[in-house]
mmCIF file of all heavy atoms in Angstrom:
data_model
loop_
_atom_site.group_PDB
_atom_site.id
_atom_site.type_symbol
_atom_site.label_atom_id
_atom_site.label_comp_id
_atom_site.label_asym_id
_atom_site.label_seq_id
_atom_site.Cartn_x
_atom_site.Cartn_y
_atom_site.Cartn_z
ATOM 1 N N LEU A 61 -13.774 -7.471 -2.216
ATOM 2 C CA LEU A 61 -13.429 -6.160 -1.855
ATOM 3 C C LEU A 61 -11.998 -6.121 -1.605
ATOM 4 O O LEU A 61 -11.446 -6.896 -0.795
ATOM 5 C CB LEU A 61 -14.194 -5.564 -0.748
ATOM 6 C CG LEU A 61 -13.863 -4.139 -0.199
ATOM 7 C CD1 LEU A 61 -14.297 -3.083 -1.213
ATOM 8 C CD2 LEU A 61 -14.415 -3.861 1.140
ATOM 9 N N ALA A 62 -11.283 -5.070 -2.150
ATOM 10 C CA ALA A 62 -9.772 -4.872 -1.852
ATOM 11 C C ALA A 62 -9.799 -3.948 -0.768
ATOM 12 O O ALA A 62 -10.542 -2.856 -0.634
ATOM 13 C CB ALA A 62 -9.021 -4.435 -3.027
ATOM 14 N N VAL A 63 -8.782 -4.044 0.127
ATOM 15 C CA VAL A 63 -8.459 -3.170 1.234
ATOM 16 C C VAL A 63 -7.140 -2.663 1.295
ATOM 17 O O VAL A 63 -6.176 -3.328 1.072
ATOM 18 C CB VAL A 63 -8.813 -3.916 2.610
ATOM 19 C CG1 VAL A 63 -8.500 -3.024 3.835
ATOM 20 C CG2 VAL A 63 -10.288 -4.342 2.677
ATOM 21 N N VAL A 64 -7.056 -1.352 1.446
ATOM 22 C CA VAL A 64 -5.782 -0.629 1.721
ATOM 23 C C VAL A 64 -5.952 0.113 3.002
ATOM 24 O O VAL A 64 -6.825 0.955 3.090
ATOM 25 C CB VAL A 64 -5.402 0.448 0.624
ATOM 26 C CG1 VAL A 64 -4.149 1.076 0.993
ATOM 27 C CG2 VAL A 64 -5.310 -0.244 -0.738
ATOM 28 N N ALA A 65 -5.207 -0.345 4.036
ATOM 29 C CA ALA A 65 -5.496 0.182 5.392
ATOM 30 C C ALA A 65 -4.204 0.558 6.155
ATOM 31 O O ALA A 65 -3.133 -0.089 5.984
ATOM 32 C CB ALA A 65 -6.206 -0.888 6.305
ATOM 33 N N SER A 66 -4.275 1.626 6.806
ATOM 34 C CA SER A 66 -3.173 2.165 7.562
ATOM 35 C C SER A 66 -3.129 1.147 8.853
ATOM 36 O O SER A 66 -4.008 0.638 9.367
ATOM 37 C CB SER A 66 -3.417 3.552 8.211
ATOM 38 O OG SER A 66 -3.730 4.444 7.174
ATOM 39 N N ASP A 67 -1.795 0.967 9.337
ATOM 40 C CA ASP A 67 -1.718 0.135 10.585
ATOM 41 C C ASP A 67 -0.697 0.977 11.467
ATOM 42 O O ASP A 67 0.517 0.802 11.318
ATOM 43 C CB ASP A 67 -1.023 -1.330 10.300
ATOM 44 C CG ASP A 67 -0.993 -2.105 11.634
ATOM 45 O OD1 ASP A 67 -1.462 -1.640 12.655
ATOM 46 O OD2 ASP A 67 -0.734 -3.286 11.374
ATOM 47 N N SER A 68 -1.144 1.625 12.403
ATOM 48 C CA SER A 68 -0.294 2.372 13.266
ATOM 49 C C SER A 68 0.380 1.634 14.233
ATOM 50 O O SER A 68 1.195 2.287 15.084
ATOM 51 C CB SER A 68 -1.266 3.720 13.979
ATOM 52 O OG SER A 68 -2.295 3.180 14.668
ATOM 53 N N THR A 69 0.196 0.295 14.360
ATOM 54 C CA THR A 69 0.948 -0.471 15.220
ATOM 55 C C THR A 69 2.345 -0.806 14.614
ATOM 56 O O THR A 69 3.267 -1.249 15.405
ATOM 57 C CB THR A 69 0.300 -1.764 15.586
ATOM 58 O OG1 THR A 69 0.434 -2.639 14.409
ATOM 59 C CG2 THR A 69 -1.136 -1.744 16.112
ATOM 60 N N VAL A 70 2.611 -0.359 13.367
ATOM 61 C CA VAL A 70 3.747 -0.461 12.664
ATOM 62 C C VAL A 70 4.325 0.858 12.261
ATOM 63 O O VAL A 70 3.579 1.545 11.415
ATOM 64 C CB VAL A 70 3.842 -1.473 11.618
ATOM 65 C CG1 VAL A 70 5.101 -1.589 10.738
ATOM 66 C CG2 VAL A 70 3.183 -2.807 11.930
ATOM 67 N N ARG A 71 5.341 1.344 12.845
ATOM 68 C CA ARG A 71 6.020 2.618 12.495
ATOM 69 C C ARG A 71 4.958 3.823 12.544
ATOM 70 O O ARG A 71 5.092 4.720 11.739
ATOM 71 C CB ARG A 71 6.715 2.619 11.151
ATOM 72 C CG ARG A 71 7.799 1.497 11.078
ATOM 73 C CD ARG A 71 8.841 1.805 10.040
ATOM 74 N NE ARG A 71 8.381 1.462 8.703
ATOM 75 C CZ ARG A 71 9.125 1.533 7.607
ATOM 76 N NH1 ARG A 71 10.392 1.882 7.626
ATOM 77 N NH2 ARG A 71 8.574 1.079 6.437
ATOM 78 N N GLY A 72 3.959 3.566 13.330
ATOM 79 C CA GLY A 72 3.034 4.713 13.593
ATOM 80 C C GLY A 72 1.956 4.921 12.463
ATOM 81 O O GLY A 72 1.267 5.820 12.501
ATOM 82 N N GLY A 73 2.074 4.049 11.479
ATOM 83 C CA GLY A 73 1.227 4.248 10.289
ATOM 84 C C GLY A 73 1.758 5.408 9.369
ATOM 85 O O GLY A 73 1.057 5.807 8.340
ATOM 86 N N VAL A 74 3.074 5.757 9.570
ATOM 87 C CA VAL A 74 3.652 6.833 8.680
ATOM 88 C C VAL A 74 3.990 6.143 7.353
ATOM 89 O O VAL A 74 4.412 4.979 7.292
ATOM 90 C CB VAL A 74 4.947 7.412 9.432
ATOM 91 C CG1 VAL A 74 5.522 8.378 8.598
ATOM 92 C CG2 VAL A 74 4.522 7.966 10.774
ATOM 93 N N LEU A 75 3.873 6.992 6.289
ATOM 94 C CA LEU A 75 4.231 6.504 5.004
ATOM 95 C C LEU A 75 5.673 6.820 4.605
ATOM 96 O O LEU A 75 6.224 7.962 4.544
ATOM 97 C CB LEU A 75 3.239 7.287 4.031
ATOM 98 C CG LEU A 75 1.836 7.049 4.230
ATOM 99 C CD1 LEU A 75 0.850 8.114 3.490
ATOM 100 C CD2 LEU A 75 1.229 5.588 4.051
ATOM 101 N N PHE A 76 6.300 5.713 4.132
ATOM 102 C CA PHE A 76 7.644 5.786 3.702
ATOM 103 C C PHE A 76 7.726 5.486 2.243
ATOM 104 O O PHE A 76 6.756 5.078 1.591
ATOM 105 C CB PHE A 76 8.585 4.720 4.503
ATOM 106 C CG PHE A 76 8.623 4.965 5.877
ATOM 107 C CD1 PHE A 76 7.705 4.860 6.770
ATOM 108 C CD2 PHE A 76 9.986 5.561 6.322
ATOM 109 C CE1 PHE A 76 7.945 5.080 8.166
ATOM 110 C CE2 PHE A 76 10.037 5.888 7.642
ATOM 111 C CZ PHE A 76 9.154 5.564 8.589
ATOM 112 N N PRO A 77 8.870 5.681 1.616
ATOM 113 C CA PRO A 77 8.915 5.399 0.069
ATOM 114 C C PRO A 77 8.457 3.896 -0.237
ATOM 115 O O PRO A 77 7.700 3.747 -1.223
ATOM 116 C CB PRO A 77 10.343 5.605 -0.094
ATOM 117 C CG PRO A 77 10.845 6.621 0.761
ATOM 118 C CD PRO A 77 10.098 6.276 2.006
ATOM 119 N N GLU A 78 8.879 2.995 0.632
ATOM 120 C CA GLU A 78 8.512 1.539 0.203
ATOM 121 C C GLU A 78 6.965 1.368 0.446
ATOM 122 O O GLU A 78 6.427 0.528 -0.056
ATOM 123 C CB GLU A 78 9.415 0.570 1.166
ATOM 124 C CG GLU A 78 9.239 0.822 2.688
ATOM 125 C CD GLU A 78 10.439 1.713 3.180
ATOM 126 O OE1 GLU A 78 10.789 2.695 2.443
ATOM 127 O OE2 GLU A 78 10.774 1.557 4.308
ATOM 128 N N THR A 79 6.430 2.134 1.416
ATOM 129 C CA THR A 79 5.037 2.004 1.734
ATOM 130 C C THR A 79 4.199 2.516 0.451
ATOM 131 O O THR A 79 3.307 1.834 0.070
ATOM 132 C CB THR A 79 4.539 2.938 2.821
ATOM 133 O OG1 THR A 79 5.647 3.067 3.774
ATOM 134 C CG2 THR A 79 3.347 2.417 3.432
ATOM 135 N N CYS A 80 4.658 3.613 -0.104
ATOM 136 C CA CYS A 80 4.026 4.103 -1.363
ATOM 137 C C CYS A 80 4.145 3.133 -2.403
ATOM 138 O O CYS A 80 3.064 2.988 -3.094
ATOM 139 C CB CYS A 80 4.745 5.444 -1.669
ATOM 140 S SG CYS A 80 4.485 6.699 -0.417
ATOM 141 N N ARG A 81 5.356 2.498 -2.652
ATOM 142 C CA ARG A 81 5.379 1.511 -3.739
ATOM 143 C C ARG A 81 4.672 0.356 -3.509
ATOM 144 O O ARG A 81 4.038 -0.133 -4.604
ATOM 145 C CB ARG A 81 7.006 1.216 -3.818
ATOM 146 C CG ARG A 81 7.803 2.422 -4.559
ATOM 147 C CD ARG A 81 9.225 2.023 -4.800
ATOM 148 N NE ARG A 81 10.067 2.152 -3.625
ATOM 149 C CZ ARG A 81 10.889 3.207 -3.366
ATOM 150 N NH1 ARG A 81 10.728 4.226 -4.013
ATOM 151 N NH2 ARG A 81 11.539 3.109 -2.179
ATOM 152 N N LYS A 82 4.508 -0.141 -2.335
ATOM 153 C CA LYS A 82 3.640 -1.306 -2.078
ATOM 154 C C LYS A 82 2.259 -0.938 -2.418
ATOM 155 O O LYS A 82 1.488 -1.729 -3.015
ATOM 156 C CB LYS A 82 3.703 -1.664 -0.573
ATOM 157 C CG LYS A 82 2.764 -2.765 -0.111
ATOM 158 C CD LYS A 82 2.982 -3.020 1.423
ATOM 159 C CE LYS A 82 1.935 -3.992 1.973
ATOM 160 N NZ LYS A 82 2.071 -4.270 3.346
ATOM 161 N N MET A 83 1.659 0.196 -2.045
ATOM 162 C CA MET A 83 0.337 0.601 -2.186
ATOM 163 C C MET A 83 0.059 0.823 -3.706
ATOM 164 O O MET A 83 -0.899 0.429 -4.215
ATOM 165 C CB MET A 83 -0.027 1.877 -1.353
ATOM 166 C CG MET A 83 0.036 1.761 0.063
ATOM 167 S SD MET A 83 0.093 3.376 0.864
ATOM 168 C CE MET A 83 -1.476 3.981 0.592
ATOM 169 N N THR A 84 1.109 1.572 -4.321
ATOM 170 C CA THR A 84 0.892 1.750 -5.824
ATOM 171 C C THR A 84 0.722 0.443 -6.546
ATOM 172 O O THR A 84 -0.036 0.241 -7.446
ATOM 173 C CB THR A 84 2.116 2.448 -6.216
ATOM 174 O OG1 THR A 84 2.210 3.791 -5.735
ATOM 175 C CG2 THR A 84 2.130 2.612 -7.877
ATOM 176 N N ARG A 85 1.594 -0.526 -6.307
ATOM 177 C CA ARG A 85 1.475 -1.970 -6.920
ATOM 178 C C ARG A 85 0.185 -2.565 -6.801
ATOM 179 O O ARG A 85 -0.523 -2.939 -7.723
ATOM 180 C CB ARG A 85 2.713 -2.711 -6.585
ATOM 181 C CG ARG A 85 2.753 -4.156 -7.109
ATOM 182 C CD ARG A 85 3.845 -4.960 -6.434
ATOM 183 N NE ARG A 85 3.935 -6.296 -6.963
ATOM 184 C CZ ARG A 85 4.652 -7.181 -6.256
ATOM 185 N NH1 ARG A 85 5.373 -7.005 -5.246
ATOM 186 N NH2 ARG A 85 4.866 -8.422 -7.002
ATOM 187 N N PHE A 86 -0.322 -2.435 -5.523
ATOM 188 C CA PHE A 86 -1.725 -3.127 -5.231
ATOM 189 C C PHE A 86 -2.775 -2.402 -5.865
ATOM 190 O O PHE A 86 -3.719 -3.067 -6.528
ATOM 191 C CB PHE A 86 -1.772 -3.139 -3.717
ATOM 192 C CG PHE A 86 -2.966 -3.934 -3.304
ATOM 193 C CD1 PHE A 86 -3.114 -5.164 -3.357
ATOM 194 C CD2 PHE A 86 -4.129 -3.188 -2.790
ATOM 195 C CE1 PHE A 86 -4.312 -5.851 -2.944
ATOM 196 C CE2 PHE A 86 -5.285 -3.822 -2.516
ATOM 197 C CZ PHE A 86 -5.403 -5.203 -2.424
ATOM 198 N N ILE A 87 -2.690 -1.116 -5.908
ATOM 199 C CA ILE A 87 -3.803 -0.272 -6.483
ATOM 200 C C ILE A 87 -3.912 -0.460 -7.951
ATOM 201 O O ILE A 87 -4.953 -0.571 -8.548
ATOM 202 C CB ILE A 87 -3.658 1.228 -6.023
ATOM 203 C CG1 ILE A 87 -3.956 1.415 -4.551
ATOM 204 C CG2 ILE A 87 -4.542 2.099 -6.927
ATOM 205 C CD1 ILE A 87 -3.464 2.633 -4.004
ATOM 206 N N ARG A 88 -2.724 -0.560 -8.610
ATOM 207 C CA ARG A 88 -2.660 -0.831 -10.018
ATOM 208 C C ARG A 88 -3.232 -2.229 -10.344
ATOM 209 O O ARG A 88 -3.896 -2.358 -11.476
ATOM 210 C CB ARG A 88 -1.249 -0.602 -10.488
ATOM 211 C CG ARG A 88 -0.873 0.903 -10.620
ATOM 212 C CD ARG A 88 0.539 1.037 -11.152
ATOM 213 N NE ARG A 88 0.824 2.451 -11.359
ATOM 214 C CZ ARG A 88 2.056 3.044 -11.380
ATOM 215 N NH1 ARG A 88 3.078 2.224 -11.210
ATOM 216 N NH2 ARG A 88 2.214 4.278 -11.652
ATOM 217 N N LEU A 89 -2.925 -3.121 -9.473
ATOM 218 C CA LEU A 89 -3.456 -4.565 -9.647
ATOM 219 C C LEU A 89 -4.904 -4.520 -9.724
ATOM 220 O O LEU A 89 -5.691 -4.995 -10.591
ATOM 221 C CB LEU A 89 -2.958 -5.489 -8.639
ATOM 222 C CG LEU A 89 -3.636 -6.794 -8.483
ATOM 223 C CD1 LEU A 89 -3.658 -7.653 -9.713
ATOM 224 C CD2 LEU A 89 -3.158 -7.540 -7.251
ATOM 225 N N CYS A 90 -5.548 -3.781 -8.645
ATOM 226 C CA CYS A 90 -7.061 -3.811 -8.543
ATOM 227 C C CYS A 90 -7.628 -3.009 -9.731
ATOM 228 O O CYS A 90 -8.619 -3.319 -10.291
ATOM 229 C CB CYS A 90 -7.351 -3.064 -7.207
ATOM 230 S SG CYS A 90 -6.871 -3.939 -5.745
ATOM 231 N N GLY A 91 -6.976 -1.947 -10.182
ATOM 232 C CA GLY A 91 -7.502 -1.238 -11.358
ATOM 233 C C GLY A 91 -7.436 -1.914 -12.591
ATOM 234 O O GLY A 91 -8.357 -1.562 -13.529
ATOM 235 N N GLN A 92 -6.618 -2.884 -12.668
ATOM 236 C CA GLN A 92 -6.583 -3.799 -13.940
ATOM 237 C C GLN A 92 -7.960 -4.435 -14.156
ATOM 238 O O GLN A 92 -8.432 -4.704 -15.331
ATOM 239 C CB GLN A 92 -5.589 -4.761 -13.961
ATOM 240 C CG GLN A 92 -4.166 -4.157 -13.989
ATOM 241 C CD GLN A 92 -3.112 -5.346 -13.849
ATOM 242 O OE1 GLN A 92 -3.389 -6.472 -13.866
ATOM 243 N NE2 GLN A 92 -1.924 -4.852 -13.467
ATOM 244 N N PHE A 93 -8.620 -4.722 -13.101
ATOM 245 C CA PHE A 93 -9.908 -5.448 -13.193
ATOM 246 C C PHE A 93 -11.088 -4.633 -12.517
ATOM 247 O O PHE A 93 -12.129 -5.246 -12.315
ATOM 248 C CB PHE A 93 -9.695 -6.797 -12.493
ATOM 249 C CG PHE A 93 -8.582 -7.641 -13.133
ATOM 250 C CD1 PHE A 93 -7.362 -7.624 -12.539
ATOM 251 C CD2 PHE A 93 -8.883 -8.349 -14.324
ATOM 252 C CE1 PHE A 93 -6.477 -8.508 -13.130
ATOM 253 C CE2 PHE A 93 -7.905 -9.086 -14.919
ATOM 254 C CZ PHE A 93 -6.657 -9.144 -14.302
#
């Protein structure tokens, strides 16, 4: 199982541009398979 999870102990769990790019890359990897 792949997990994408908020962590509000870091910057309150707020989404920044680099957060989005990290999530996008991981989600696309999971989608390949």
Side-chain angles (χ1 to χ4, degrees):
L61 178 70
V63 174
V64 176
S66 311
D67 187 356
S68 57
T69 69
V70 180
R71 298 201 286 189
V74 177
L75 302 167
F76 291 78
E78 58 270 26
T79 328
C80 297
R81 287 188 275 268
K82 172 182 176 178
M83 294 167 69
T84 298
R85 182 185 180 193
F86 184 72
I87 290 161
R88 286 178 174 159
L89 164 61
C90 296
Q92 290 171 23
F93 303 97

